[in-house]
């Protein structure tokens, strides 16, 4: 046999399941202990029976002892059988419980009969009368035993079965009756001088024994498979008892019989066997599946003997008749009648069997046609492989499934059709399956690739069953299902837009990189990438253009990493890359190398993107890098890279940041601050400060800018730049803005009541102005409630969000100006929408950005930019306020450029209410290079020293 043909006939795999006949039970070596106990019990039983037989053969040494052992010894043995069967029936719940109770009753009758016999012979020392009470007990022995055998037998399921059982019993009994009548019973029946009772008693013994023997032989081939050892032992015990009874009925032996002879040893052994039967059976192994080799040879033999039983019975009956002819005797009428009934029973039985065989043949043909139609019409391929691995049968469905004719496959080796990569797994599974118990695992399932007639490989799923040492394969093509599963698995692990691995697969790859042989490699790094400006592309060009940009960015990212690395899209405009370590130990060199890779990737992603429609857009990339550390988990490594990416965005975007441990500490601190901020406002931890706005010509205070300060319960002072950065809760920010507006208006009204009618400015974002939490009516109600004069409130409009509608913002600002609220454009010169806002919105004041003021002295370029912006403000008739004027040189430079007002540390920092009122009483700050103005020459104090309020719509604006 070739190597491939050994697919089925190979022995059990090393370490596989044990064979069923050698498999240990659930409690270890319990079957071994049970087998040892059974052997010891059999040895003890054999020794006792052999001892009794030896004593009987030697005459027991004395006549009286022989009588005692022959009578009371047999009674004791029968009593032991009675007690044993009774106890077993009581403690064991089984459907055969009535049989053992009947055997117990039968043994009790035998024990009583032998006890009465011994009473006459041993106690009374006289012959046993005939008939006697002992004969009654002996006659009652057979009927319960016969009924018990019926209970143990496998009962027929049809009427024909019951008829055949009765005919089989009569065939055996009639033949035995014919033979025994010819040999002995005819002489007993014609015995002259005996009473009717004695003659009937003489016939009753052999007739009951014949009936019992008939049942034993008829039921021997119909016994149940359950507890077979106990049944066989009980049948053997009754057969031995019947054999001794048959010998006892012989006139020659009976005339010379005395108690204690060798014949009693047979009865004694029969009783002890019946006592041993229920307990000595090997129940621990009866239920086990016998070896396959043994099972295949026992059934045909048993079936042959059962089929020959009627013919053997007829042969015995014929021998009885021939005996009379040979001896020259006249054939007895009983023999003739019995012989005729036996022949008639044989004819009837054969007729029933013939009809039964015809019906079975017809049913078998129908089933064969039915199953042939199922097999040939089935879409599954059914194959039968011999133990050598050669295919003996292949169903016609192979042509449609495999593209190969069934005749072409028959005779080929099964192993030659399986993909070489799958052959080892198939062989292992087949060997494991054959070594397993058929009762525990009747089938198994194997999936492998199968060579088709088209030259490709099909994914085939097969259900495998055992068949006469070989295997039956019920196979079906599952190629489409396997492809669909692979596609579903791919879709579950990849981004549908870019086809890059998604977050789940990327996390799995990172986890794999941190385990196994790479677990100690510190060079493994994770890059988190965010596209800066992507939302603007979505807003300007639409989501389709944004998706196209993401696809191009993903392609660039995929092309930039090595083949062993992983590029992924985590969601939105966030990407990631896993850079595996190279095994090097120099961590600093590795960090420089990965930083260069990240920087090149940043430059690659920042190149222009040409989209459909001819649009060319640019986005930047903020990249965070984190390196693996010993013991770090995948989740922690991804978090570190994410923190580094957010640090890159906070530091100005379009840059690469390496993770540092303090980043996590900062996140914790910001989280704690955000948590405290939720309750700080209600706990009174916020205070309102004001910073004066000074006229750069006179030094007088023309307005104050309201600013919030937070002093936490721990005594830490936070500026707006600190706590607003962590106030991610929009509801909390809106609540803080309402508080700031109410407090500023209330305190301004109080100052106006005592004569300080200085306007107050409040900084609000455009989004907050359009928020429903600050409706127009609430501002009007606030001004009315506190009786704040018109022009005393100014709102500094922060740089507007590009997603904010200018139409809605313009309508809101116009409505506020009708209430007497002045509008200032904050951060002028820094926002990309500043010029557009200046063109469309009703603005009264331009507030220069701090970035322009800080470098106005040192940078000539900034001086020109600032000067140009101030000239625009002057041409539009707007006031200008410089924020962040901290040194005298800035005051001189700004005043020379035409800036009208300034705010900063060059004059005063933020003041509480007490210091603010003192400053308002003083009403001026010294200016560098200013000429003192006498008190009498000062102009009178006015609420405002700015030009009259005019609408921006009335201001002439150059065409744009």
């Amino acid at each position: 046999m070739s190597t491939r043909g050994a697919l089925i006939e190979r022995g059990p795999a090393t370490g596989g399941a044990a064979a069923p006949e050698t498999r240990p039970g659930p409690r270890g070596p319990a079957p071994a202990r049970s087998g040892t106990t059974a052997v010891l019990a059999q040895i003890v039983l054999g020794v006792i029976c052999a001892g009794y037989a030896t004593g009987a053969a030697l005459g027991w040494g004395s006549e009286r002892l022989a009588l005692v052992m022959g009578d009371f010894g047999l009674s004791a043995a029968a009593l032991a059988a009675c007690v044993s069967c009774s106890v077993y029936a009581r403690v064991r719940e089984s459907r055969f419980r009535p049989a053992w109770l009947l055997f117990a009753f039968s043994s009790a009758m035998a024990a009583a009969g032998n006890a009465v016999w011994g009473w006459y012979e041993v106690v009374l020392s006289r012959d046993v009368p005939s008939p006697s009470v002992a004969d009654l007990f002996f006659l009652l022995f057979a009927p319960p035993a016969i009924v018990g055998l019926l209970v143990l037998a496998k009962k027929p399921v049809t009427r024909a079965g019951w008829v055949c059982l009765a005919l089989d019993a009569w065939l055996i009994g009639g033949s035995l009756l014919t033979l025994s009548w010819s040999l002995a019973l005819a002489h007993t029946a014609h015995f002259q001088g005996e009473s009717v009772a004695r003659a009937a008693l003489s016939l009753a013994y052999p007739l009951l024994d014949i009936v019992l023997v008939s049942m034993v032989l008829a039921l021997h081939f119909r016994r149940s498979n359950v507890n077979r050892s106990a049944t066989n032992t009980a049948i053997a015990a009754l057969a031995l008892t019947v054999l001794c009874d048959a010998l006892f009925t012989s006139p020659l032996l009976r005339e010379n019989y005395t108690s204690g002879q060798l014949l009693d040893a047979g009865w004694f052994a029969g009783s002890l066997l019946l006592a041993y039967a229920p307990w000595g059976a090997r129940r621990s192994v009866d239920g086990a599946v016998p070896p396959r080799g043994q099972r295949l040879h026992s059934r045909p033999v048993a079936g042959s003997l059962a089929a020959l039983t009627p013919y053997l019975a007829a042969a015995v009956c014929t021998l009885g008749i021939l005996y009379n002819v040979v001896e020259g005797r006249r054939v007895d009428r009983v023999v003739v009648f019995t012989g005729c009934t036996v022949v008639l029973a044989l004819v009837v039985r054969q007729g029933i069997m013939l009809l039964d065989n015809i019906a079975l043949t017809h049913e078998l043909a129908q089933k064969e046609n039915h199953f042939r139609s199922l097999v040939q019409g089935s879409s599954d391929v059914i194959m039968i492989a011999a133990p050598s691995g050669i295919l003996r049968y292949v169903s016609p469905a192979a042509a449609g499934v495999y593209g190969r004719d069934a005749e072409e496959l028959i005779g080929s080796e099964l192993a030659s059709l399986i993909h070489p990569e799958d052959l080892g797994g198939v062989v292992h599974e087949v060997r494991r399956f054959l070594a397993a118990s058929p009762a525990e695992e009747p089938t198994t399932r194997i999936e492998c690739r199968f060579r088709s007639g088209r030259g490709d490989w099909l994914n085939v799923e097969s259900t495998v069953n055992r068949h006469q040492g070989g295997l039956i394969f019920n196979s079906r093509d599952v190629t489409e299902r396997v492809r669909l599963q692979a596609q579903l698995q791919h879709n579950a692990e990849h981004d549908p837009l870019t086809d890059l691995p998604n977050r789940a697969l990327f996390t799995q790859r990172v986890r794999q990189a941190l385990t196994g042989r790479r677990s100690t490699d510190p060079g493994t790094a994770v890059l988190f990438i965010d596209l800066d400006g992507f939302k603007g592309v979505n807003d300007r060009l639409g989501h389709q253009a944004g998706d196209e940009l993401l696809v191009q960015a993903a392609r660039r990212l995929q092309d930039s990493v090595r083949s062993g690395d992983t590029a992924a899209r985590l969601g939105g405009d966030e990407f990631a890359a896993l850079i595996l370590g190279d095994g090097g130990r120099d961590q600093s060199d590795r960090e420089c190398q990965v930083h260069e890779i990240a920087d090149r990737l940043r430059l690659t992603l920042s190149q222009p993107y040409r989209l459909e429609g001819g649009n060319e857009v640019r986005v930047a990339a903020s990249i965070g890098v984190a390196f693996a550390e010993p013991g770090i988990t995948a989740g922690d490594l991804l978090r570190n890279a994410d923190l580094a990416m957010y640090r890159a965005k906070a530091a100005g975007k379009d840059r690469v940041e390496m993770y540092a441990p303090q980043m996590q500490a900062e996140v914790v601190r910001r989280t704690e601050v955000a948590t405290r901020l939720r309750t700080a406002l209600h706990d009174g931890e916020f205070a309102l400060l004001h910073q004066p706005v000074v006229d750069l010509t006179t030094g007088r205070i023309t307005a104050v800018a309201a600013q919030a300060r937070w002093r936490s319960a721990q005594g830490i002072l936070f500026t707006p730049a600190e706590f607003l950065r962590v106030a991610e809760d929009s509801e909390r920010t809106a609540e803080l803005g309402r508080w700031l507006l109410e407090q500023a208006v209330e305190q301004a009204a109080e100052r106006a009541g005592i004569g300080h009618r200085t306007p107050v400015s409040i900084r609000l974002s455009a989004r907050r102005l359009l928020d429903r939490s600050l409706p127009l009516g609430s501002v009007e109600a606030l001004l009315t409630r506190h009786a704040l004069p018109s022009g005393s409130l100014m709102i500094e409009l922060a740089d507007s969000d590009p997603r904010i509608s200018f139409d809605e913002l313009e309508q809101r600002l116009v409505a506020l100006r009708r209430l007497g609220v002045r509008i200032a454009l904050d951060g002028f010169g820094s926002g990309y929408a500043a010029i557009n806002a200046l063109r469309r919105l009703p603005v009264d004041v331009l507030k220069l950005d701090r970035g322009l003021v800080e470098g106005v002295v040192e940078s000539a370029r900034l001086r020109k930019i600032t000067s140009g912006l101030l000239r625009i403000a002057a041409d539009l008739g707007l006031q200008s306020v410089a924020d962040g004027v901290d040194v005298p040189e800035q005051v001189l430079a700004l005043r020379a450029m035409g800036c009208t007002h300034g705010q900063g540390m060059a004059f005063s920092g933020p003041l509480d209410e007490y210091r603010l009122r003192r400053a308002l009483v003083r009403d001026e700050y010294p200016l560098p290079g200013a000429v003192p103005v006498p008190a009498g020459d000062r102009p009178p104090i006015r609420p405002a020293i700015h030009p009259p309020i005019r609408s921006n719509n009335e201001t002439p604006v150059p065409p744009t």
Side-chain angles (χ1 to χ4, degrees):
M1 184 174 58
S2 64
T3 303
R4 289 184 174 180
L7 176 63
I8 299 178
E9 286 195 345
R10 293 180 181 179
T14 304
E21 57 269 22
T22 61
R23 181 176 297 161
R27 295 188 180 180
R33 293 198 303 267
S34 178
T36 303
T37 304
V39 171
L40 291 177
Q42 292 170 5
I43 293 175
V44 172
L45 181 64
V47 170
I48 294 175
C49 292
Y52 190 96
T54 303
L58 298 178
W60 296 103
S62 66
E63 183 179 353
R64 187 168 183 80
L65 181 59
L67 292 177
V68 171
M69 295 302 297
D71 294 333
F72 292 111
L74 293 181
S75 179
L79 185 61
C82 173
V83 173
S84 175
C85 293
S86 299
V87 173
Y88 182 81
R90 183 176 181 182
V91 299
R92 300 281 183 172
E93 292 293 336
S94 172
R95 64 186 180 92
F96 299 124
R97 182 179 180 182
W100 297 109
L101 291 176
L102 290 169
F103 290 151
F105 180 76
S106 178
S107 299
M109 295 299 100
N114 283 296
V116 172
W117 198 286
W119 175 263
Y120 281 105
E121 287 189 337
V122 178
V123 178
L124 301 179
S125 299
R126 64 185 182 88
D127 293 335
V128 181
S130 182
S132 66
V133 179
D135 293 322
L136 177 61
F137 287 127
F138 287 143
L139 290 175
L140 292 177
F141 168 80
I146 295 172
V147 178
L149 288 174
L150 287 174
V151 174
L152 286 178
K154 184 187 298 182
K155 297 177 178 56
V157 296
T158 62
R159 293 182 180 179
W162 284 104
V163 173
C164 288
L165 176 61
L167 292 175
D168 288 344
W170 172 245
L171 285 172
I172 297 173
S175 61
L176 292 178
L177 178 61
T178 301
L179 183 60
S180 59
W181 190 277
S182 300
L183 295 176
L185 295 182
H187 173 74
T188 303
H190 295 87
F191 187 77
Q192 302 295 328
E194 288 188 350
S195 63
V196 177
R198 184 177 178 83
L201 184 63
S202 299
L203 291 175
Y205 279 118
L207 291 178
L208 286 176
D209 287 339
I210 289 174
V211 173
L212 187 58
V213 170
S214 302
M215 295 305 303
V216 167
L217 293 177
L219 297 177
H220 173 69
F221 303 108
R222 294 176 178 268
R223 63 187 184 275
S224 174
N225 292 329
V226 181
N227 209 358
R228 180 178 293 183
S229 297
T231 303
N232 290 341
T233 307
I235 290 176
L238 294 176
L240 182 59
T241 303
V242 169
L243 177 63
C244 294
D245 287 345
L247 293 175
F248 179 75
T249 56
S250 173
L252 181 62
L253 184 60
R254 186 172 182 180
E255 290 177 357
N256 299 321
Y257 171 78
T258 58
S259 297
Q261 292 183 350
L262 192 61
L263 184 61
D264 291 348
W267 282 317
F268 183 84
S271 296
L272 290 187
L273 274 178
L274 189 58
Y276 169 77
W279 303 100
R282 291 173 294 168
R283 289 179 301 277
S284 60
V285 296
D286 278 348
V289 179
R292 288 185 290 275
Q294 298 178 8
R295 202 182 340 165
L296 295 176
H297 299 294
S298 60
R299 289 184 179 178
V301 175
S304 301
L305 292 177
L308 292 176
T309 300
Y311 303 101
L312 293 176
V316 172
C317 183
T318 303
L319 288 177
I321 297 175
L322 290 177
Y323 176 78
N324 286 334
V325 174
V326 172
E327 291 293 328
R329 300 177 182 176
R330 182 175 60 85
V331 180
D332 193 282
R333 287 177 294 178
V334 175
V335 174
V336 174
F337 177 77
T338 305
C340 292
T341 55
V342 168
V343 173
L344 180 62
L346 179 60
V347 172
V348 173
R349 186 185 187 283
Q350 292 303 109
I352 293 175
M353 295 301 298
L354 179 61
L355 294 177
D356 194 22
N357 287 338
I358 293 175
L360 288 176
T361 302
H362 180 67
E363 182 180 359
L364 181 61
Q366 288 184 337
K367 290 184 177 180
E368 184 178 355
N369 292 332
H370 175 69
F371 284 109
R372 183 181 291 109
S373 301
L374 290 177
V375 170
Q376 293 180 351
S378 174
S379 59
D380 293 351
V381 180
I382 299 176
M383 301 182 296
I384 300 178
S388 61
I390 303 297
L391 293 177
R392 297 304 184 193
Y393 173 79
V394 179
S395 65
V401 176
Y402 299 148
R404 306 177 67 174
D405 293 335
E407 292 77 8
E408 179 186 349
L409 293 175
I410 296 176
S412 60
E413 296 177 352
L414 179 61
S416 64
L417 305 175
I418 300 174
H419 196 283
E421 296 179 1
D422 300 340
L423 182 59
V426 173
V427 170
H428 176 77
E429 176 62 20
V430 168
R431 292 165 63 188
R432 185 203 63 78
F433 173 64
L434 293 177
S437 169
E440 297 178 358
E441 190 173 4
T443 63
T444 187
R445 189 179 65 87
I446 295 176
E447 187 169 335
C448 63
R449 284 168 289 181
F450 198 89
R451 186 190 303 275
S452 70
R454 297 175 292 273
D456 56 347
W457 295 97
L458 302 176
N459 292 93
V460 176
E461 180 185 69
S462 302
T463 302
V464 185
N465 296 270
R466 299 173 179 84
H467 176 69
Q468 297 181 357
L471 296 173
I472 298 179
F473 293 83
N474 189 355
S475 306
R476 62 203 63 87
D477 182 11
V478 293
T479 304
E480 290 301 323
R481 189 196 71 187
V482 172
R483 290 176 182 172
L484 179 59
Q485 288 177 345
Q487 184 63 40
L488 292 176
Q489 182 70 19
H490 179 85
N491 293 342
E493 295 179 342
H494 289 76
D495 175 59
L497 178 63
T498 62
D499 203 38
L500 290 180
N502 58 13
R503 183 181 293 271
L505 181 57
F506 185 75
T507 304
Q508 180 182 348
R509 297 274 179 87
V510 173
R511 188 178 297 112
Q512 293 173 354
L514 297 179
T515 57
R517 63 184 181 87
R518 295 187 178 273
S519 59
T520 57
D521 188 353
T524 299
V526 170
L527 279 61
F528 257 56
I529 307 161
D530 184 85
L531 300 182
D532 304 321
F534 172 76
K535 292 182 176 59
V537 176
N538 263 346
D539 295 335
R540 295 194 308 273
L541 302 179
H543 290 279
Q544 184 174 357
D547 291 345
E548 187 180 353
L549 188 149
L550 291 176
V551 171
Q552 294 186 26
R555 191 179 302 118
R556 294 183 186 182
L557 177 61
Q558 184 68 47
D559 295 340
S560 300
V561 299
R562 299 171 302 181
S563 59
D565 299 334
T566 302
R569 182 191 177 203
L570 305 183
D573 59 342
E574 290 188 352
F575 294 85
L578 172 64
I579 309 298
L580 299 178
D582 55 5
R585 294 297 176 184
D586 193 339
Q587 183 66 12
S588 59
D589 291 345
R590 179 59 177 168
E591 289 180 1
C592 294
Q593 181 184 2
V594 173
H595 191 281
E596 291 177 359
I597 294 174
D599 200 55
R600 287 198 302 269
L601 181 58
R602 179 187 64 82
L603 295 175
T604 301
L605 295 175
S606 301
Q607 295 298 318
Y609 294 85
R610 184 169 296 278
L611 309 180
E612 290 185 3
N615 294 317
E616 183 176 283
V617 297
R618 288 178 178 268
V619 294
S622 297
I623 302 178
V625 182
F627 283 90
E629 301 173 356
I632 194 172
T633 63
D636 292 341
L637 183 58
L638 295 176
R639 181 205 61 197
N640 295 345
D642 196 18
L643 291 176
M645 184 267 290
Y646 277 106
R647 171 58 66 88
K649 294 180 71 68
K653 303 180 180 180
D654 193 18
R655 57 187 295 129
V656 176
E657 284 286 343
M658 310 293 288
Y659 170 78
Q662 58 267 26
M663 293 182 183
Q664 178 64 22
E666 182 180 350
V667 170
V668 173
R669 178 179 177 275
R670 291 180 59 185
T671 303
E672 294 176 352
V673 172
T675 303
R676 289 190 225 141
L677 183 61
R678 293 187 177 95
T679 59
L681 192 60
H682 297 286
D683 294 343
E685 297 181 6
F686 274 90
L688 189 64
L689 302 181
H690 296 83
Q691 187 172 27
V693 178
V694 179
D695 189 324
L696 297 184
T697 303
T698 64
R700 299 187 61 188
I701 300 175
T702 59
V704 291
Q707 300 177 6
R709 290 294 186 271
W710 173 27
R711 186 176 297 278
S712 66
Q714 291 76 19
I716 304 174
L717 182 64
F718 296 99
T719 64
E722 294 175 323
F723 63 76
L724 289 179
R725 187 170 60 249
V726 301
E728 299 177 356
D729 188 354
S730 60
E731 180 181 355
R732 200 64 53 197
T733 306
E735 186 178 0
L736 181 60
R738 289 194 298 269
W739 176 87
L740 178 62
L741 179 61
E742 292 176 358
Q743 291 294 317
V745 171
E746 181 180 357
Q747 293 185 18
E750 292 179 358
R751 289 193 298 272
I754 61 175
H756 302 296
R757 301 180 60 187
T758 306
V760 61
S761 63
I762 303 172
R763 190 176 186 274
L764 293 176
S765 66
R767 177 175 295 277
R768 187 62 54 206
L769 280 175
L770 295 179
D771 196 350
R772 294 182 179 180
S773 62
L774 189 65
L776 178 62
S778 63
V779 177
E780 184 177 8
L782 186 64
L783 296 176
T784 303
R785 183 169 68 248
H786 295 286
L788 191 66
S790 177
S792 297
L793 176 63
M794 181 169 61
I795 293 180
E796 297 178 2
L797 182 65
D799 189 17
S800 59
D801 192 322
R803 291 172 292 184
I804 295 297
S805 172
F806 269 102
D807 294 334
E808 295 182 12
L809 184 59
E810 183 180 7
Q811 294 175 6
R812 184 63 190 274
L813 294 179
V814 169
L816 288 173
R817 293 197 69 207
R818 291 195 185 118
L819 298 176
V821 178
R822 302 174 62 209
I823 306 299
L825 188 60
D826 188 29
F828 187 69
S830 62
Y832 70 92
I835 300 299
N836 195 25
L838 185 61
R839 181 176 66 87
R840 297 191 55 183
L841 301 181
V843 178
D844 303 299
V845 177
L846 291 182
K847 197 168 186 178
L848 295 179
D849 185 73
R850 295 179 64 94
L852 297 175
V853 177
E854 288 176 354
V856 72
V857 177
E858 296 82 4
S859 173
R861 185 181 184 87
L862 279 181
R863 283 199 300 272
K864 291 181 180 181
I865 294 174
T866 305
S867 177
L869 294 176
L870 291 172
R871 191 178 304 113
I872 292 175
D875 293 341
L876 293 177
L878 304 179
Q879 287 187 5
S880 56
V881 178
D883 189 14
V885 182
D886 296 333
V887 294
E889 291 79 7
Q890 293 173 346
V891 176
L892 295 174
L894 290 169
R895 185 170 56 190
M897 295 177 191
C899 183
T900 59
H901 297 79
Q903 170 186 341
M905 297 303 296
F907 310 107
S908 173
L911 305 175
D912 58 20
E913 187 65 21
Y914 173 75
R915 290 183 175 84
L916 175 62
R917 293 187 180 184
R918 290 184 58 185
L920 291 175
V921 171
R922 190 172 58 249
D923 196 29
E924 69 176 348
Y925 288 96
L927 298 176
V931 179
V933 181
D937 297 334
R938 292 181 184 172
I941 299 176
R942 293 178 295 175
I945 57 173
H946 50 78
I949 299 177
R950 293 187 300 173
S951 171
N952 190 55
N953 295 334
E954 301 172 359
T955 304
V957 179
T960 58

